[in-house]
Amino acid sequence: MLRRSLGSIVSLASRKYSGKSFSSNMAQIINGNEIAKEIRGQLKQELKDLVDSGNPVPHLTAVIVGEDPASEKYVQNKMNACLEVGISSETKRLPASTTQEELLQLIAELNKDQRVTGVLVQLPVPEHINERTICNAVDVDKDVDGFNELNIGRLALDMDGIVPATPLGVKRLLEHQNIETHGRNAVVVGRSKNVSLPMAILLHADGKYATKALDATVTICHRYTPPKELARHCRQADIIVVAVGKPGLITKDMVKPGACVIDVGINRIKDEKTGKFKLVGDVDFEEVRQVAGHITPVPGGVGPMTVAMLLHNTLKTAKKQFCDRQAS
Ligand code: NAP
């Protein structure tokens, strides 16, 4: 309760003194860009300390298979962020015709390469390649995405490991905004294995273990949750995290006044007024901000936090490897 109360005071104070006009019942917009920038600054210092104490510069290798423009853009953002904090990085681009065996061979080489401390294979991979086989092939200690079954298993068992960047980014946003989660009702909309499942685990698991999870009561909704039930569950939630990929899925009537709404969705749609393409989330932002207490925008909410948490994971994996090497 205290965390929420302090958060509300800070939120009201910052709105009051921002000099901008605001309506008191409008949600506070969570600025993921600003929070991520702050985190990148901290990581830059952490990296400097690591290297100053005699360790090599961590190195992240990203692999893209095929020519998906969205994947190219996401990987470019990640590489730019690496450059900003001082992590060495490179992107390996393979044609869409690459076989699963060829991709597994490359991953095996990267796993063996001592210079490479982090490996990520940008998803989705072409349909003829099995995504799970690829995620499991990345060495668990270099798995900066946290998609290897061992890392997901560790998360499920409250053990320390690498947590997928998007849910970890959402957790950091909630903590940064002092959103109370302990004993609160949370709804996760979506049940994907890489985003929503780890999100639900982080929200519901016990805060006293290594994952320092959030102690909420969690409901997971998915494709087969009837729309009326989805609305009913959402209306009871103090925190809604939506990761589906359907613009306008979460509307004003589905949100309890004062709830915190985190929009993970990214959808490219045509703006009817300008005719240009733009990015939107899964939440009807303009409507929902009239009832919510906090809300993330798209773009500028969860996206930059995902990148910041990928850097966090890259530093964490590198530190563990340097430590293990010293011990052996
Ligand atoms: P995904 O694997 O396609 O999963 C989408 C999930 O939504 C599935 O579990 C699906 O259910 C569920 N779903 C579909 N229709 C639904 C409905 N009407 N009501 C409730 N649930 C429904 O996608 P993802 O990888 O989790 O990503 C979700 C969204 O987040 C996408 O827009 C993606 O671009 C975005 N994303 C953003 C970031 C970021 O950094 N901001 C990172 C990752 C992903 P079934 O399981 O039954 O199919």
Side-chain angles (χ1 to χ4, degrees):
M1 285 302 275
L2 178 66
R3 276 204 284 165
R4 177 56 184 251
S5 316
L6 284 175
S8 305
I9 293 162
V10 173
S11 146
L12 275 175
S14 60
R15 282 192 280 167
K16 189 166 180 185
Y17 298 115
S18 68
K20 292 178 194 152
S21 63
F22 72 92
S23 159
S24 60
N25 53 9
M26 281 282 208
Q28 184 185 358
I29 296 170
I30 303 176
N31 189 335
N33 279 327
E34 248 174 41
I35 302 166
K37 189 176 171 193
E38 194 180 305
I39 294 170
R40 290 197 305 275
Q42 291 159 4
L43 293 173
K44 192 173 180 170
Q45 184 58 47
E46 234 179 89
L47 182 120
K48 187 178 176 304
D49 294 345
L50 184 72
V51 175
D52 284 353
S53 54
N55 293 291
V57 175
H59 179 92
L60 173 65
T61 298
V63 181
I64 304 183
V65 188
E67 281 161 20
D68 175 30
S71 291
E72 276 290 338
K73 180 130 204 314
Y74 294 145
V75 170
Q76 193 53 56
N77 287 344
K78 292 168 186 175
M79 298 297 118
N80 290 345
C82 280
L83 192 66
E84 182 189 333
V85 305
I87 294 171
S88 144
S89 67
E90 75 186 310
T91 306
K92 291 197 182 287
R93 291 181 175 78
L94 303 179
S97 59
T98 303
T99 65
Q100 179 164 302
E101 282 314 307
E102 287 166 336
L103 181 55
L104 287 172
Q105 177 61 37
L106 173 63
I107 294 169
E109 283 164 20
L110 295 171
N111 285 344
K112 255 192 255 150
D113 188 341
Q114 283 240 336
R115 192 182 62 97
V116 176
T117 55
V119 176
L120 79 81
V121 180
Q122 184 64 36
L123 301 179
V125 284
E127 271 184 13
H128 63 275
I129 295 176
N130 184 296
E131 183 179 301
R132 177 70 3 234
T133 304
I134 296 307
C135 291
N136 288 347
V138 174
D139 185 324
V140 65
D141 287 336
K142 296 190 179 186
D143 175 31
V144 292
D145 267 335
F147 294 163
N148 180 301
E149 62 189 357
L150 286 175
N151 275 319
I152 294 286
R154 285 173 186 168
L155 176 63
L157 295 172
D158 297 328
M159 293 160 68
D160 189 28
I162 296 297
V163 178
T166 301
L168 188 60
V170 172
K171 177 173 183 269
R172 288 287 281 266
L173 280 182
L174 294 172
E175 289 165 346
H176 188 277
Q177 298 301 121
N178 294 310
I179 305 293
E180 183 57 275
T181 55
H182 188 92
R184 297 297 175 103
N185 291 333
V187 165
V188 178
V189 189
R191 60 174 171 184
S192 69
K193 300 293 178 254
N194 296 340
V195 179
S196 297
L197 173 74
M199 185 74 252
I201 294 174
L202 276 181
L203 278 163
H204 89 266
D206 195 330
K208 69 175 180 270
Y209 294 115
T211 44
K212 304 210 171 12
L214 298 169
D215 289 317
T217 304
V218 179
T219 304
I220 301 173
C221 298
H222 49 77
R223 189 182 300 278
Y224 302 121
T225 308
K228 266 191 178 171
E229 287 301 301
L230 173 65
R232 187 177 67 81
H233 288 300
C234 285
R235 270 196 298 274
Q236 287 171 0
D238 302 297
I239 300 121
I240 299 173
V241 181
V242 54
V244 170
K246 280 204 162 75
L249 180 67
I250 304 299
T251 50
K252 186 177 169 181
D253 57 304
M254 296 163 76
V255 176
K256 174 163 119 176
C260 175
V261 180
I262 306 288
D263 193 351
V264 179
I266 302 177
N267 307 287
R268 192 167 172 269
I269 61 161
K270 198 169 186 180
D271 188 324
E272 293 306 328
K273 286 184 201 144
T274 63
K276 289 183 182 165
F277 283 94
K278 63 173 184 178
L279 292 184
V280 297
D282 293 341
V283 174
D284 184 338
F285 181 82
E286 287 307 327
E287 290 273 310
V288 170
R289 67 186 291 209
Q290 294 168 24
V291 289
H294 292 78
I295 190 167
T296 56
V298 177
V302 175
M305 291 300 290
T306 296
V307 178
M309 289 304 103
L310 175 79
L311 302 181
H312 163 89
N313 285 348
T314 304
L315 219 53
K316 184 171 171 172
T317 55
K319 279 184 182 174
K320 180 172 186 303
Q321 285 162 63
F322 299 155
C323 214
D324 289 350
R325 274 181 221 168
Q326 271 170 15
S328 66

